[in-house]
């Protein structure tokens, strides 16, 4: 038994060393580069996964990358609306955000969810600073041009100065998806959109969307048809042909938009997999779908 145990330990240690060795070229390649992570889905609800994501974010920071975390918090908003007797309504997949709902959205995202994430990063040994779009004029919002959805916004402008100041000093910015227009009216903005626009404004190395799906599939019913790598042109064709459909369309469009504005690579990965971030960034194979600008397809 002792021999088997010690053999198992040796194999486990060998695996760990091999993984670290495989990660080295990626750590060297991405040191000093900005990685924008959109945090949401199951990884946000499961406490064990939460801790792993925060450790991964701290790991990125410790090995010289500059992570920026962007989050929403739909389930928590729904929970608080319910407690306050306000009915949650949706139209075309968007949360109808009247004035009372906007108050709750802002309180929950900025006051609760954001500070919980900052606290978790601190517990994992990182230095995090919580922000929303209003802080340092980070994001200027404008209304989305749809009838009957209330204070749902789009990104009009990104002022990256506060993010650059924090990142260059070793802090991890944690950004909630609330911003205001130039008159001070608050807006609820899709967190994927904010992550994409921040990544584009910073010229980030990577935009990573943590989701509840493994990536883009040729046939979503067949896990073996995962598409590991596409370029912008192919991604647009997948939308046009209906291979990418439903809730995946805005995510892929968000990636394409950020790539068109200079982000090097965008990734859609399954946040339900422990340490999904590290597997995608620091291993040769990766685990999700990587979308690249048409002009280059580097080694994974």
């Amino acid at each position: 038994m002792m021999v088997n145990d010690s053999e198992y330990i040796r194999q486990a240690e060998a695996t760990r060393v091999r993984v670290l060795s495989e990660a080295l070229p990626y750590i060297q390649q991405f040191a000093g580069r900005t990685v924008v992570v959109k945090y949401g889905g199951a990884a946000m609800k499961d406490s064990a996964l939460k801790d792993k994501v925060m450790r991964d974010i701290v790991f990125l920071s410790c090995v010289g990358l500059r992570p920026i975390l962007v989050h929403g918090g739909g389930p928590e908003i729904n929970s608080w609306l319910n407690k306050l007797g306000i009915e949650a309504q949706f139209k075309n997949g968007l949360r109808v955000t009247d004035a009372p709902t906007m108050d709750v959205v802002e309180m929950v995202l900025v006051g609760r969810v954001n500070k919980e994430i900052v606290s978790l990063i601190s517990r994992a040994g990182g230095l995090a600073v919580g922000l929303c779009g209003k802080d340092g004029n980070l994001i200027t919002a404008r209304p989305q041009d749809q009838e009957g959805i209330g204070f749902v916004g789009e990104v009009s402008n990104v002022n990256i100065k506060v993010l650059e100041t924090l990142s260059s000093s070793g802090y991890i910015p944690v950004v909630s998806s609330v911003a205001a227009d130039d008159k001070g009216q608050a807006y609820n903005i899709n967190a994927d959109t904010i992550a994409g626009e921040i990544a584009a404004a910073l010229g980030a190395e990577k935009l990573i969307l943590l989701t509840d799906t493994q990536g883009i599939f040729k046939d979503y019913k067949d896990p073996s048809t995962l598409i590991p790598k596409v370029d912008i042109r192919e991604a647009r064709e997948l939308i046009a042909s209906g291979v990418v459909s439903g809730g995946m369309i805005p995510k892929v469009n968000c990636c394409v938009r950020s790539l068109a504005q200079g982000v090097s690579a965008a990734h859609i990965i399954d946040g339900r997999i422990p340490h999904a971030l590290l597997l995608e960034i620091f291993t040769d194979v990766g685990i999700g779908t990587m979308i690249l600008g048409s002009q280059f397809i580097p080694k994974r």
Side-chain angles (χ1 to χ4, degrees):
M1 189 65 187
M2 286 293 293
V3 174
N4 289 341
D5 279 355
S6 60
E7 180 61 29
Y8 172 79
I9 290 166
R10 267 204 304 276
Q11 287 176 0
E13 294 299 330
T15 300
R16 188 173 292 127
V17 169
R18 191 175 69 249
V19 168
L20 285 170
S21 180
E22 190 176 305
L24 178 61
Y26 296 100
I27 292 171
Q28 291 169 323
Q29 182 183 346
F30 301 138
R33 307 289 181 85
T34 299
V35 175
V36 178
V37 178
K38 173 354 186 63
Y39 173 53
M44 211 168 182
K45 294 175 236 166
D46 180 317
S47 58
L49 281 173
K50 261 186 198 175
D51 288 340
K52 286 184 172 67
V53 172
M54 298 313 146
R55 283 173 63 89
D56 289 357
I57 292 288
V58 173
F59 183 94
L60 294 180
S61 181
C62 284
V63 297
L65 283 74
R66 294 183 176 183
I68 292 170
L69 196 63
V70 178
H71 69 88
E76 185 120 3
I77 292 167
N78 289 342
S79 169
W80 278 91
L81 288 172
N82 190 42
K83 285 177 190 175
L84 296 166
I86 301 170
E87 187 187 352
Q89 296 179 55
F90 294 86
K91 184 176 178 181
N92 301 327
L94 297 169
R95 183 184 297 280
V96 176
T97 309
D98 57 11
T101 302
M102 187 64 234
D103 285 345
V104 175
V105 167
E106 186 161 7
M107 284 189 290
V108 171
L109 291 188
V110 181
R112 277 187 66 85
V113 178
N114 187 270
K115 297 309 168 224
E116 184 199 10
I117 293 169
V118 167
S119 175
L120 286 169
I121 290 174
S122 297
R123 271 173 46 198
L127 292 169
V129 175
L131 304 164
C132 73
K134 294 180 177 183
D135 294 305
N137 288 329
L138 172 57
I139 293 159
T140 307
R142 64 170 185 269
Q144 207 176 76
D145 55 354
Q146 278 195 47
E147 287 286 317
I149 56 169
F151 299 110
V152 176
E154 288 284 357
V155 175
S156 176
N157 185 58
V158 179
N159 174 7
I160 57 174
K161 194 170 180 184
V162 66
L163 296 177
E164 289 183 326
T165 301
L166 289 168
S167 269
S168 63
S169 302
Y171 291 94
I172 301 167
V174 179
V175 183
S176 62
S177 54
V178 170
D181 64 15
D182 47 18
K183 296 187 182 72
Q185 171 61 52
Y187 282 87
N188 177 22
I189 303 179
N190 179 281
D192 290 340
T193 302
I194 284 189
E197 294 299 318
I198 284 176
L202 286 165
E205 181 70 27
K206 292 181 180 294
L207 165 67
I208 301 176
L209 306 184
L210 284 176
T211 67
D212 286 349
T213 178
Q214 291 169 278
I216 302 172
F217 294 92
K218 285 177 185 161
D219 175 1
Y220 74 92
K221 294 175 189 162
D222 182 356
S224 71
T225 64
L226 177 71
I227 304 171
K229 193 185 294 182
V230 291
D231 65 17
I232 286 183
R233 180 184 53 78
E234 290 165 333
R236 287 178 173 140
E237 285 170 3
L238 290 170
I239 293 172
S241 66
V243 171
V244 170
S245 60
M248 190 59 89
I249 293 175
K251 291 187 184 300
V252 174
N253 275 332
C254 161
C255 292
V256 166
R257 185 173 159 79
S258 67
L259 291 166
Q261 295 179 81
V263 173
S264 299
H267 305 250
I268 297 173
I269 66 172
D270 191 345
R272 297 168 300 183
I273 296 172
H275 302 300
L277 273 174
L278 303 187
L279 287 165
E280 181 67 8
I281 297 173
F282 294 127
T283 65
D284 292 338
V285 180
I287 58 161
T289 297
M290 178 160 67
I291 309 173
L292 295 145
S294 301
Q295 71 277 21
F296 67 101
I297 301 249
K299 178 177 176 280
R300 176 107 193 190

